[in-house]
Structure formats: structure tokens, C-alpha cells
């Protein structure tokens, strides 16, 4: 996935999250990228992603060069947007709760605005998934 598709996924995720917050007014939380290899707050800032969650980007020479420049503080976000970084489409976009409300979380597990495929439907989990980057990068995702 390229940076433009990432930006579309971030925009679509924020749109869905806004609808969820309108529906569940007591929700106190924020969105994150997440996988078994790490997480970071939802952003389209590649410098932040490469600094906080480098495993979200497929291994490549470009990725390693970008991380090296970030570590030396010798790169700008504008430079990163011109680089061809391959972002992992199977990265989840999830809600993290500032103040977990179990009743609300269990109610949200059934909400059609969240991914019924990726959200566990059990009281043993508080994981609420909007979808994967690949799923949310489609322009039609915004209207679902």
C-alpha cells in the first residue's frame, strides 16, 4: 500500500469513528494502528509511523534509509512522501479506550460500524476493530 492509500484509510477511519462517537456519546477513546508487532496512534505522518511502529512498513532499502535519516534527524516529512514505502495492508485500525466502559464495549462489538470480521465477540476481549488498512483504503469505505 502506498502513502496515498494510507491517507485515504486514515480519512475513512476518522469518518467512521466520528459516526461511532455520535452513536455512543459516552465513548472516550482514540484510534490506533495495531498488529501483533506493535501499535501507534492513527496518523498519516510517515516519520511518526517509522519512528514508533516500523513493523507497519514492509522491509526495504528505502525503509531502512528513511529510519536511518530519522534517527539522525536529517529527514523531513516532505522527503518521506516522495519515497516509495510499502505499508502493510493487514494492519488493523482499532479503538483504544481512555476510560474503558465494559457495557459500552460489549454493545460496540455488535455495532455494524465496526468490523464484525475482526472484532472478537466475547466478554473476554475489549478489542474493537474498524478494519484493516487495506479494507479502509477503498474510497467506498467512507460511505459504508
Amino acid at each position: 500500500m502506498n502513502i496515498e492509500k494510507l491517507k485515504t484509510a486514515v480519512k475513512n477511519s476518522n469518518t467512521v469513528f466520528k459516526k461511532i462517537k455520535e452513536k455512543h456519546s459516552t465513548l472516550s477513546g482514540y484510534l490506533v494502528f495495531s498488529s501483533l508487532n506493535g501499535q501507534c496512534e492513527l496518523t498519516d505522518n510517515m516519520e511518526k509511523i517509522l519512528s514508533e511502529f516500523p513493523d507497519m512498513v514492509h522491509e526495504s532499502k528505502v525503509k531502512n534509509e528513511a529510519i536511518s535519516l530519522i534517527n539522525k534527524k536529517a529527514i523531513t516529512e516532505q522527503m518521506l512522501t516522495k519515497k516509495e514505502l510499502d505499508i502493510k495492508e493487514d494492519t488493523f485500525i482499532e479503538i483504544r479506550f481512555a476510560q474503558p466502559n465494559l457495557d459500552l464495549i460489549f454493545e460496540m462489538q455488535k455495532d455494524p460500524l465496526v468490523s464484525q470480521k475482526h472484532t472478537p465477540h466475547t466478554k473476554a476481549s475489549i478489542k474493537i476493530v474498524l478494519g484493516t488498512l487495506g479494507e479502509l483504503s477503498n474510497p467506498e469505505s467512507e460511505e459504508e
Side-chain angles (χ1 to χ4, degrees):
M1 166 182 288
N2 64 28
I3 293 171
E4 288 310 310
K5 283 195 163 202
L6 172 72
K7 288 180 180 186
T8 300
V10 168
K11 180 180 175 229
N12 291 344
S13 299
N14 283 323
T15 299
V16 172
F17 190 51
K18 183 179 177 191
K19 290 177 186 176
I20 290 171
K21 289 195 299 187
E22 287 169 358
K23 197 173 191 182
H24 304 280
S25 59
T26 60
L27 172 61
S28 174
Y30 55 96
L31 296 177
V32 297
F33 296 120
S34 175
S35 78
L36 294 175
N37 300 314
Q39 75 173 31
C40 76
E41 272 194 65
L42 188 79
T43 182
D44 60 11
N45 181 312
M46 288 307 301
E47 183 177 354
K48 183 173 176 142
I49 290 169
L50 287 168
S51 297
E52 295 180 17
F53 188 15
D55 283 335
M56 189 173 140
V57 179
H58 287 285
E59 290 302 319
S60 69
K61 184 178 177 186
V62 172
K63 173 187 171 181
N64 294 334
E65 289 172 355
I67 289 173
S68 176
L69 289 171
I70 289 168
N71 290 337
K72 294 176 186 173
K73 305 225 183 297
I75 197 166
T76 65
E77 179 64 19
Q78 187 177 24
M79 290 166 67
L80 284 171
T81 58
K82 292 174 183 168
K83 299 275 186 188
E84 193 52 45
L85 295 165
D86 187 19
I87 301 155
K88 295 179 181 176
E89 291 190 18
D90 62 349
T91 303
F92 292 118
I93 298 178
E94 300 180 20
I95 299 173
R96 288 289 179 270
F97 299 94
Q99 300 171 344
N101 174 332
L102 294 179
D103 291 333
L104 174 63
I105 292 168
F106 302 142
E107 181 183 329
M108 288 177 62
Q109 288 176 347
K110 300 174 199 127
D111 191 318
L113 290 171
V114 306
S115 172
Q116 296 303 302
K117 176 180 175 185
H118 301 296
T119 299
H121 293 87
T122 171
K123 293 199 175 196
S125 174
I126 62 166
K127 183 176 179 174
I128 302 293
V129 181
L130 298 189
T132 65
L133 276 174
E135 293 164 350
L136 288 158
S137 68
N138 297 317
E140 57 273 5
S141 296
E142 189 176 357
E143 291 154 25
E144 288 179 2

